Amino acid sequence: MRKRTKAREYALQSLYLMDLTGDKPEEALENFWLSQADKESDGEVREFTNGLVQGVARYLAVVDEGISKYATNWQLKRMAVVDRNILRMAAYELLYCKDIPAKVSINEAVNLAKKFSGIEAGKFVNGVLDKIKIESRPV
């Protein structure tokens, strides 16, 4: 598995934890990394994971607003926790990580949705993120 793909999985797990417990990003990341103590944690993976989690937390209001705008007939609080956090992470990448191609962010999010949620979630995630991409990165 590629380093950034692994980092996105780790970030998703940390964001999921934050969503359920109300922990601050620092607490969630510390707890996550402690639970990974027996696994190899590459410096690049850790750095990218931490950046995603802290970025989503920092810009949560803007990210959630963008998702809500395009998740037609869906309220953010009623979405599955995993889907909501996949969308948050990818929307953060689309809006604030201009060095990452939009296609990569969307593809990674769709793959996470398929892996951790379901095929229909992958389609939903793709649709919402594509709309955010069009607005945030016009051609």
Side-chain angles (χ1 to χ4, degrees):
M1 181 182 303
R2 293 185 341 234
K3 289 181 180 185
R4 287 201 166 184
T5 299
K6 184 183 286 190
R8 286 182 178 94
E9 283 191 14
Y10 289 169
L12 175 60
Q13 292 172 40
S14 298
L15 291 167
Y16 186 94
L17 179 65
M18 286 171 52
D19 207 353
L20 293 180
T21 64
D23 285 351
K24 292 182 174 14
E26 299 78 24
E27 295 167 314
L29 286 165
E30 182 178 344
N31 290 331
F32 176 77
W33 291 120
L34 286 173
S35 74
Q36 299 296 313
D38 61 328
K39 297 181 182 175
E40 176 189 350
S41 59
D42 179 275
E44 289 177 59
V45 171
R46 184 180 286 251
E47 184 180 334
F48 192 66
T49 300
N50 292 351
L52 288 174
V53 171
Q54 292 166 344
V56 169
R58 183 177 307 119
Y59 297 106
L60 186 62
V62 175
V63 166
D64 281 357
E65 183 182 318
I67 294 167
S68 295
K69 182 176 179 180
Y70 295 113
T72 316
N73 301 321
W74 278 95
Q75 292 180 340
L76 209 57
K77 65 183 178 187
R78 297 206 42 170
M79 288 179 193
V81 177
V82 70
D83 297 347
R84 178 172 55 236
N85 285 294
I86 290 169
L87 284 168
R88 284 175 169 165
M89 183 171 52
Y92 165 73
E93 285 188 36
L94 289 171
L95 295 169
Y96 296 101
C97 301
K98 303 298 184 184
D99 60 317
I100 300 172
K103 184 176 180 178
V104 171
S105 296
I106 294 171
N107 188 50
E108 291 276 344
V110 169
N111 288 339
L112 284 171
K114 288 178 182 177
K115 182 174 182 176
F116 292 106
S117 190
I119 298 296
E120 293 303 313
K123 294 175 185 176
F124 173 68
V125 164
N126 186 51
V128 172
L129 294 175
D130 193 52
K131 291 174 185 173
I132 292 172
K133 176 193 79 167
I134 289 167
E135 184 176 288
S136 67
R137 297 186 185 187
V139 178

